[in-house]
Amino acid sequence: MFGNLVYYNKERVDQYTALITGQPVQTDISEDNPSVGKATNFLLECSKFEELLQDRDDFVDFTSGFQDTTITNIRVASIIRATGEIYVPEAFDMVHLIDEYKPLLLSAVKCKDDDERQMLNSVFSNTKAKVPLFCELESECDYWLGIGKISQRNLMIDYTDLEDLEGTEVTIIARLESRKYHKDKPLQVFDIYRDFLGLNRTFRKQLQQNHNGNNEFESIIVEEDYLGLEILAIY
């Protein structure tokens, strides 16, 4: 493996490594370490994780050319290794732009009282914000569309640099979470209020009622079958 890490979900990889080995994962990586050093260590960890996955029944390497199954036949919760192209849907660009200018937006909003200001601050300070990532898998995976919700803190490059990777083949390691089949209605793959702002169900319903379901930024939808993926690593 000689690729540069684009994304690495260390928390999940450590969890799955511990399950495989039966031992807790020891790590000395801290948030204070330089990003270059972290990237090198993460690349080594990722390589070791892939070695642990070899010959397991719940792992399928679609890049080897020797797999004896198809993407539609493997069990949900299996881990796959595949190649494809990744991109963030354009519908998310406006949401990310809003995120970039949170401080300016907060200072510009006039609140009725301190409670309203506190609620607004809690929404905009959400640290669980996810980003929708679309993965167009190659022929080995029958050209399925894979969709994952990634955390920006796990990106090894700047968010804006993801656009430079469009049209470039990358290797994806992911856990298969679901298969969704499109029938008559579009499939919602990303809810702005839940996945990005982290609002609870009650608050989401209130906002949707206020907008009468006509807010174009409420969700991202697709009109095709797709695989729900938990992205572990991209390089």
Side-chain angles (χ1 to χ4, degrees):
M1 182 174 77
F2 293 97
N4 294 317
L5 270 179
V6 174
Y7 181 84
Y8 186 65
N9 189 337
K10 176 175 173 58
E11 180 180 358
R12 282 289 186 262
V13 171
D14 282 354
Q15 287 180 6
Y16 297 144
T17 298
L19 285 173
I20 294 172
T21 62
Q23 298 178 345
V25 175
Q26 301 294 328
T27 178
D28 58 359
I29 301 295
S30 71
E31 293 299 323
D32 296 329
N33 285 348
S35 58
V36 175
K38 287 176 63 175
T40 301
N41 281 288
F42 289 169
L43 196 61
L44 290 172
E45 288 182 10
C46 186
S47 180
K48 291 178 181 178
F49 179 60
E50 289 187 70
E51 291 177 6
L52 289 173
L53 292 172
Q54 300 302 317
D55 301 321
R56 288 184 59 86
D57 294 336
D58 51 5
F59 172 67
V60 180
D61 185 354
F62 285 100
T63 68
S64 67
F66 300 107
Q67 70 277 0
D68 56 0
T69 186
T70 65
I71 194 70
T72 55
N73 290 330
I74 66 172
R75 293 173 297 177
V76 170
S78 297
I79 293 177
I80 65 171
R81 184 174 186 260
T83 56
E85 298 179 6
I86 60 172
Y87 64 94
V88 176
E90 291 184 6
F92 188 75
D93 287 346
M94 179 60 71
V95 178
H96 184 261
L97 183 64
I98 293 173
D99 185 49
E100 287 289 293
Y101 288 92
K102 279 180 182 178
L104 289 176
L105 290 171
L106 281 171
S107 61
V109 174
K110 295 182 179 180
C111 297
K112 297 178 181 178
D113 49 41
D114 291 340
D115 289 339
E116 188 172 291
R117 170 64 63 182
Q118 185 177 357
M119 181 180 67
L120 187 65
N121 285 331
S122 67
V123 169
F124 277 90
S125 62
N126 171 46
T127 59
K128 299 180 180 179
K130 301 290 184 181
V131 175
L133 189 72
F134 284 27
C135 311
E136 294 184 347
L137 304 179
E138 299 291 343
S139 58
E140 295 80 7
C141 294
D142 300 324
Y143 299 106
W144 270 75
L145 173 65
I147 300 178
K149 301 172 185 178
I150 65 172
S151 171
Q152 292 191 61
R153 69 173 180 271
N154 293 330
L155 280 171
M156 305 303 295
I157 62 175
D158 289 337
Y159 172 87
T160 52
D161 291 337
L162 284 173
E163 186 176 345
D164 296 335
L165 292 174
E166 293 184 12
T168 302
E169 183 182 278
V170 296
T171 299
I172 303 161
I173 303 175
R175 178 177 176 271
L176 178 62
E177 294 190 318
S178 63
R179 294 185 188 88
K180 300 294 184 181
Y181 295 95
H182 173 251
K183 295 181 180 179
D184 301 323
K185 297 181 179 180
L187 298 171
Q188 184 187 78
V189 298
F190 193 84
D191 184 294
I192 300 300
Y193 298 137
R194 180 189 64 203
D195 299 316
F196 188 74
L197 295 179
L199 304 182
N200 61 42
R201 183 178 300 179
T202 301
F203 202 1
R204 294 201 307 270
K205 285 184 176 180
Q206 181 180 346
L207 286 173
Q208 290 167 350
Q209 289 173 355
N210 291 341
H211 292 143
N212 297 318
N214 295 322
N215 190 342
E216 61 179 314
F217 300 121
E218 283 184 358
S219 63
I220 295 174
I221 60 175
V222 296
E223 297 186 13
E224 61 180 293
D225 302 340
Y226 76 90
L227 304 172
L229 302 176
E230 177 186 48
I231 308 294
L232 303 177
I234 301 173
Y235 56 86

